[in-house]
Amino acid sequence: MNTKMRWKIAIDILMSVMLLLLIAYQVVAEYLHEICGTAMLVLFLLHHILNGQWYKSLLKGRYTLQRIISIILNAALLVAMLSLAYSGVVLSRHVFDFLPITRGMALARVMHLAASYWGFVLMSLHIGLHWGMMVGMFHKLAGGKRRPVLAWSARFLAVAIAVYGAVCFRHADIFSYMFVKVEFVFFDYEKSTALVFAEHIAMMGTWIFTGYYASKGIGKLTTRSRKKEKDRIA
């Protein structure tokens, strides 16, 4: 593993941690929320710089269904992050309080609410689309040996987390925030910090699980389509 790849992995891990700290707003102090948001923006920019080759390759190669979905997802995530950056600066009471911003608070508040949860879902899906790389790395660390018991245990745990996360997602009514059916988030301040993070990790797991298996399914469909096309030409 080269140095650039190590940096990519480190930044991706830090972004995942920042995402959890940002989304668990009720257990994180407001000033810390703003610091984490600023750190997330810096990490996001570094992530794009280190993956600049992806932009250069956009006009090259074949556009499969999987690649189209990945591009749409990345574009949507970019819009969500830029919306969060703008609205976060406008609403800032600590980090960017020195800026002479006096207007646009109402719009920024609604934008920040929707973009926060869209960003959470889209980033989790993005991780899921690339989760196969993580699985491959874990497989290499295990010496490349197949361990059926460990593999099935990991799958069972993944399903359990995904189901629990889906229940938490539904119970928190997050779709209402994503589509701005409700303009204010209702936090349960009686929940313990551990439970808040456990629920958000599970919700992230739900969308990672969705992205991973959707990617695998689309990959299989693409492979079958190519095989049929080759057979037809032959």
Side-chain angles (χ1 to χ4, degrees), residues 11 13 31 52 56 60 63 75-76 91 96-97 122 155 159 169-170 182 184 189 202 234:
I11 287 171
I13 291 171
Y31 72 91
K56 294 179 182 179
K60 301 176 182 178
Y63 271 76
L91 295 171
F96 299 101
D97 188 48
L122 291 169
R155 287 180 188 134
V159 171
F169 196 89
R170 176 69 182 86
V182 179
F184 295 94
Y189 288 96

Side-chain angles (χ1 to χ4, degrees), residues 59-119:
L59 299 177
K60 301 176 182 178
R62 184 175 181 177
Y63 271 76
T64 62
L65 177 60
Q66 190 167 18
R67 188 181 182 190
I68 292 169
I69 290 173
S70 178
I71 290 172
I72 292 172
L73 178 63
N74 288 342
L77 181 54
L78 179 61
V79 171
M81 292 301 293
L82 291 176
S83 298
L84 281 169
Y86 167 76
S87 58
V89 170
V90 172
L91 295 171
S92 177
R93 295 180 181 177
H94 304 279
V95 178
F96 299 101
D97 188 48
F98 63 92
L99 294 175
I101 300 173
T102 57
R103 296 182 179 181
M105 295 289 181
L107 175 61
R109 186 173 289 106
V110 174
M111 183 186 293
H112 203 74
L113 171 63
S116 294
Y117 288 103
W118 273 108

Side-chain angles (χ1 to χ4, degrees), residues 43-58:
L43 291 169
F44 186 75
L45 293 173
L46 287 173
H47 174 85
H48 279 265
I49 291 169
L50 289 173
N51 290 279
Q53 193 63 36
W54 182 82
Y55 289 98
K56 294 179 182 179
S57 67
L58 284 175

Side-chain angles (χ1 to χ4, degrees), residues 2-208:
N2 58 38
T3 303
K4 186 176 181 180
M5 182 57 70
R6 288 195 183 98
W7 273 106
K8 284 183 179 181
I9 292 171
I11 287 171
D12 289 348
I13 291 171
L14 284 172
M15 285 178 70
S16 299
V17 173
M18 288 299 124
L19 180 64
L20 287 170
L21 289 172
L22 286 166
I23 206 69
Y25 182 81
Q26 71 265 45
V27 295
V28 177
E30 189 177 78
Y31 72 91
L32 184 58
H33 179 81
E34 290 191 18
I35 291 171
C36 288
T38 306
M40 172 65 95
L41 178 60
V42 173
L43 291 169
F44 186 75
L45 293 173
L46 287 173
H47 174 85
H48 279 265
I49 291 169
L50 289 173
N51 290 279
Q53 193 63 36
W54 182 82
Y55 289 98
K56 294 179 182 179
S57 67
L58 284 175
L59 299 177
K60 301 176 182 178
R62 184 175 181 177
Y63 271 76
T64 62
L65 177 60
Q66 190 167 18
R67 188 181 182 190
I68 292 169
I69 290 173
S70 178
I71 290 172
I72 292 172
L73 178 63
N74 288 342
L77 181 54
L78 179 61
V79 171
M81 292 301 293
L82 291 176
S83 298
L84 281 169
Y86 167 76
S87 58
V89 170
V90 172
L91 295 171
S92 177
R93 295 180 181 177
H94 304 279
V95 178
F96 299 101
D97 188 48
F98 63 92
L99 294 175
I101 300 173
T102 57
R103 296 182 179 181
M105 295 289 181
L107 175 61
R109 186 173 289 106
V110 174
M111 183 186 293
H112 203 74
L113 171 63
S116 294
Y117 288 103
W118 273 108
F120 177 73
V121 171
L122 291 169
M123 189 172 287
S124 300
L125 284 170
H126 178 80
I127 295 171
L129 289 181
H130 297 85
W131 194 252
M133 294 172 61
M134 299 299 295
V135 172
M137 288 177 58
F138 291 139
H139 187 63
K140 284 182 180 179
L141 289 173
K145 297 179 181 179
R146 296 190 66 181
R147 292 180 170 84
V149 175
L150 185 61
W152 280 107
S153 298
R155 287 180 188 134
F156 177 79
L157 179 61
V159 171
I161 291 172
V163 170
Y164 177 58
V167 171
C168 293
F169 196 89
R170 176 69 182 86
H171 185 263
D173 198 20
I174 289 177
F175 280 125
S176 293
Y177 305 137
M178 292 172 68
F179 294 99
V180 201
K181 293 182 179 179
V182 179
E183 295 187 6
F184 295 94
V185 181
F186 297 96
F187 293 118
D188 184 353
Y189 288 96
E190 294 184 0
K191 284 184 181 178
S192 67
T193 300
L195 181 58
V196 170
F197 280 113
E199 288 182 351
H200 284 92
I201 289 170
M203 287 189 277
M204 182 187 286
T206 299
W207 293 105
I208 291 174

